[in-house]
């Protein structure tokens, strides 16, 4: 909802449009949300502000470096991974609407204080692309919001965190680069916010709502693995490079949120498929692919595992991985046809 539209609706504001303004305005699509989504989004924004500050002051705050731990994914944990995870956990555990959370950094889901009013659960990738953090490459945080399916009279259980992506009531990501952005959807379009100098996330004036180009300008894949690729993947990437009118350019930051965000704005497709080294691909279905697939579809794009839409996959384990082709509709459809 741009400032111009609000003005047209007689809701003139000399202030920029904040997350609260925007969600209250979007609330008409979610009468059941009763302020819960606003509360959750404001909590997430509070965490993102803290992560952004810590990242910007990393040199002085000693945020660089490893914790010495290996997480459930088998990956080395950097200090900011742990700080981001602990911040999301602490802030969300205090939200009266959140019953529990699951995270790429947590072995299993974390139930919060049982309370019938706590009707939502969250999934997080608290810090995606963190191995790039000490090289000043943009990183991000990814989140999903679901209504719990277990009885509100009991503590959450695993079924709450194994819902299809199609069941999400909200999803989004934060981008921590030379600026800090929030991109989110609650199922009625994709909206773009910037963290301003007053510390508030405000709706972008340049691009308040994101619709992704149907055609790709870029393709994002780690070509170092091409010797392990199956033949149909080799052929697809070759096709992207040699499309007659506008061949794609390669852009691969090694940070999913960074590659996804650029492709969403400019048109592009990100691939991380099964190969001989990664039989299920690398990316995590629940904390990375479902939220980004919700965003991609809401922006007019598509996301597939090569057989079906990502959002229609029934998760069977918390940290399961999935092959993925995600981004501009034309190239995702072309991949599906090429199989
Ligand atoms: P590779 C980061 O660990 C991540 O999950 C994504 O952010 C990124 O796109 C991908 O892995 C990079 O993986 O195997 O190309 O180094």
């Amino acid at each position: 909802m741009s400032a111009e539209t609000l003005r047209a609706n007689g809701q003139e504001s000399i202030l920029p449009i904040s997350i609260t303004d925007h969600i209250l305005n979007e609330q008409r699509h979610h009468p059941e949300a009763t302020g819960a989504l606003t509360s959750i989004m404001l909590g997430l924004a509070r965490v993102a502000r803290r992560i952004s500050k810590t990242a910007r002051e990393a040199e002085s705050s000693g945020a660089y470096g490893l914790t010495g731990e290996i997480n459930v994914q088998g990956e080395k944990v950097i200090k900011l991974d742990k700080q981001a995870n602990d911040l999301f956990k602490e802030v969300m555990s205090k939200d009266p609407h959140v019953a529990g959370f699951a995270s790429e950094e947590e072995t299993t889901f974390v139930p919060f204080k049982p309370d019938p009013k706590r009707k939502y659960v969250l999934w997080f990738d608290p810090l995606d692309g963190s191995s790039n953090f000490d090289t000043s490459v943009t990183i991000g945080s990814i989140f999903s919001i679901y209504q719990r399916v277990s009885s509100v009279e009991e503590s959450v259980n695993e079924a709450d965190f194994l819902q299809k992506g199609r069941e999400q009531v909200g999803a989004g990501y934060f981008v921590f680069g030379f600026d800090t952005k929030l991109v989110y959807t609650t199922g009625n379009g994709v909206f773009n916010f910037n963290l301003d100098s007053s510390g508030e996330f405000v709706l972008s004036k340049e691009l308040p709502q994101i619709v992704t180009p149907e055609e790709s300008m870029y393709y994002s894949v780690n070509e170092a693995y091409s010797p392990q690729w199956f033949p149909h993947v080799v052929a697809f990437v070759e096709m992207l490079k040699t499309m007659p009118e506008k061949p794609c350019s390669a852009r691969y930051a090694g940070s999913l949120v960074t590659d996804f965000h650029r492709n969403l704005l400019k048109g592009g497709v990100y691939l991380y498929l099964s190969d001989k080294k990664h039989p299920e691909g690398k990316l995590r279905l629940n904390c990375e692919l479902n939220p980004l697939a919700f965003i991609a579809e809401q922006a007019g794009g598509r996301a597939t595992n090569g057989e079906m839409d990502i959002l229609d996959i029934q998760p069977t384990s918390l940290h399961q991985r999935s092959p993925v082709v995600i981004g501009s509709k034309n190239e995702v459809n072309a991949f599906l046809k090429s199989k």
Side-chain angles (χ1 to χ4, degrees):
M1 180 69 70
S2 68
E4 290 70 27
T5 310
L6 279 176
R7 266 192 282 283
N9 294 350
Q11 295 166 283
E12 180 125 13
S13 166
I14 54 175
L15 290 171
I17 297 170
S18 70
I19 296 177
T20 307
D21 301 329
H22 190 262
I23 292 181
L24 289 176
N25 199 55
E26 287 296 300
Q27 210 90 54
R28 65 188 189 284
H29 302 295
H30 290 280
E32 82 287 353
T34 63
L37 285 181
T38 305
S39 172
I40 292 170
M41 288 304 297
L42 289 176
L44 294 174
R46 182 181 176 197
V47 175
R49 277 197 297 275
R50 181 60 50 186
I51 295 173
S52 175
K53 180 177 184 320
T54 305
R56 276 198 320 277
E57 297 166 0
E59 200 65 54
S60 56
S61 67
Y64 291 135
L66 298 172
T67 62
E69 297 162 34
I70 302 291
N71 65 18
V72 65
Q73 317 293 337
E75 296 167 346
K76 290 178 183 164
V77 178
I78 72 162
K79 291 176 190 169
L80 198 56
D81 281 322
K82 183 161 175 26
Q83 281 175 283
N85 187 65
D86 292 347
L87 277 168
F88 279 118
K89 185 162 33 177
E90 178 179 333
V91 171
M92 287 297 117
S93 67
K94 293 173 182 163
D95 186 298
H97 306 282
V98 180
F101 103 132
S103 163
E104 182 185 287
E105 297 299 331
E106 299 279 348
T107 303
T108 186
F109 62 90
V110 177
F112 295 152
K113 187 165 68 71
D115 177 337
K117 289 193 294 297
R118 289 175 178 252
K119 294 188 166 63
Y120 294 84
V121 294
L122 301 170
W123 258 108
F124 286 105
D125 179 356
L127 202 70
D128 172 71
S130 52
S131 58
N132 294 299
F133 174 47
D134 54 357
T135 61
S136 298
V137 171
T138 297
I139 54 179
S141 300
I142 310 171
F143 63 88
S144 268
I145 306 168
Y146 293 86
Q147 289 191 324
R148 63 182 296 184
V149 292
S150 57
S151 162
V152 293
E153 301 308 322
E154 292 153 19
S155 184
V156 291
N157 61 46
E158 193 172 64
D160 291 309
F161 300 94
L162 293 179
Q163 299 181 57
K164 288 183 180 180
R166 202 64 77 192
E167 298 305 315
Q168 293 171 98
V169 296
Y173 58 87
F174 293 98
V175 181
F176 304 109
F178 72 91
D179 60 356
T180 297
K181 294 182 178 306
L182 162 63
V183 174
Y184 92 102
T185 184
T186 56
N188 298 286
V190 175
F191 298 96
N192 182 26
F193 289 76
N194 296 307
L195 183 61
D196 74 7
S197 54
S198 76
E200 192 169 33
F201 281 96
V202 296
L203 191 68
S204 166
K205 285 194 168 60
E206 294 298 311
L207 186 67
Q209 184 164 359
I210 300 174
V211 177
T212 194
E214 291 200 355
E215 279 191 7
S216 294
M217 179 185 288
Y218 300 117
Y219 74 97
S220 304
V221 68
N222 187 336
E223 302 218 39
Y225 301 142
S226 58
Q228 287 102 17
W229 290 351
F230 296 113
H232 72 282
V233 179
V234 173
F236 180 63
V237 172
E238 194 54 30
M239 182 279 287
L240 294 173
K241 294 177 181 177
T242 57
M243 291 197 292
E245 292 76 38
K246 283 191 302 177
C248 291
S249 291
R251 291 287 187 281
Y252 192 70
S255 175
L256 171 61
V257 169
T258 306
D259 287 319
F260 179 82
H261 185 67
R262 179 199 55 249
N263 292 348
L264 192 73
L265 268 56
K266 306 277 189 184
V269 64
Y270 175 105
L271 310 83
Y272 210 118
L273 287 157
S274 313
D275 59 36
K276 294 158 196 147
K277 182 184 169 194
H278 307 89
E280 290 304 315
K282 174 183 182 183
L283 299 180
R284 278 64 50 158
L285 173 63
N286 291 309
C287 65
E288 293 172 320
L289 299 183
N290 273 332
L292 296 185
F294 190 16
I295 294 268
E297 282 200 5
Q298 283 290 311
R302 193 171 180 187
T304 181
N305 67 351
E307 307 298 331
M308 62 195 297
D309 285 345
I310 290 286
L311 293 178
D312 292 328
I313 299 173
Q314 175 55 62
T316 52
S317 69
L318 292 174
H319 296 293
Q320 74 185 71
R321 299 170 190 264
S322 170
V324 66
V325 181
I326 185 170
S328 294
K329 187 182 287 190
N330 287 4
E331 282 64 43
V332 175
N333 289 340
F335 177 74
L336 287 166
K337 288 195 190 92
S338 73
K339 290 220 49 184

